[in-house]
Amino acid sequence: MALALVITARRLRPYFLSHPVGAKTNTPLKQTLDGSSTAQGSGVGIVITTPQGEDLEFAIKFGFKASNNEAGYEALVIGMRMAHETGVKHLLAYSDSQLVVKQVEDTYEAKEESMIQYLQQIADLKTKFHHFQIIQIPREENAKADSLSKLASSL
């Protein structure tokens, strides 16, 4: 996963460096995230929508087994790291995972140790942004990221 994150961040850096945002510096980057766990493995799908409206799509397979909830958290952590590594300061993350969104918002309490650890990572990552917000979206609005996560987990 770490190697995929480094490679992805390196691929995004030239894009962001070659597309100055000028007056749009406060325009948040939008990410749509999904995680998937299958018998073949686990992975995430991330769709980054640039301020210019372009979609950058990523399917990242894990080198470890994860539950669907863990994969949802991994998608958020990877997305936040990608954004931070490319210099993004304002991030909107969209997920169809009610558990992930509500636990990150502190509406639901995390009881499992693995979820608590993910929440700590996310809290640490949130400090790297001027603005961060996670929004729950209906599953049908998450179709691209869902397809990418299923592709990644089935490879």
Side-chain angles (χ1 to χ4, degrees):
M1 177 185 77
L3 180 59
L5 180 61
V6 169
I7 291 169
T8 301
R10 286 183 183 158
R11 286 183 184 164
L12 280 175
R13 185 175 299 278
Y15 175 84
F16 285 104
L17 291 176
S18 68
H19 290 81
V21 289
K24 293 186 176 185
T25 55
N26 290 328
T27 301
L29 184 76
K30 297 177 183 174
Q31 291 183 340
T32 307
L33 314 160
D34 200 17
S36 175
S37 180
T38 66
Q40 291 83 19
S42 306
V44 298
I46 300 174
V47 179
I48 298 172
T49 303
T50 68
Q52 293 79 21
E54 296 178 64
D55 282 348
L56 307 172
E57 301 174 357
F58 300 90
I60 303 168
K61 183 173 179 70
F62 302 152
F64 58 90
K65 186 75 174 145
S67 70
N68 274 323
N69 289 335
E70 290 168 336
Y73 269 109
E74 284 287 339
L76 180 57
V77 168
I78 291 169
M80 291 176 80
R81 286 183 180 162
M82 288 169 58
H84 171 66
E85 288 293 320
T86 55
V88 171
K89 295 296 180 194
H90 303 273
L91 180 62
L92 288 177
Y94 296 90
S95 174
D96 64 10
S97 171
Q98 182 177 3
L99 179 76
V100 172
V101 172
K102 297 298 184 188
Q103 286 182 344
V104 170
E105 290 177 335
D106 205 23
T107 305
Y108 291 176
E109 182 181 351
K111 296 180 181 176
E112 292 181 39
E113 185 59 33
S114 62
M115 301 299 118
I116 293 168
Q117 289 176 358
Y118 279 119
L119 286 170
Q120 183 57 54
Q121 284 184 60
I122 291 163
D124 293 344
L125 286 165
K126 283 166 76 172
T127 66
K128 299 181 185 306
F129 298 96
H130 294 300
H131 174 78
F132 171 79
Q133 185 177 5
I134 187 166
I135 300 166
Q136 184 180 356
I137 57 174
R139 186 172 303 264
E140 53 274 3
E141 291 179 27
N142 206 25
K144 267 190 196 178
D146 181 61
S147 294
L148 290 166
S149 71
K150 288 183 172 136
L151 172 68
S153 65
S154 65
L155 294 175

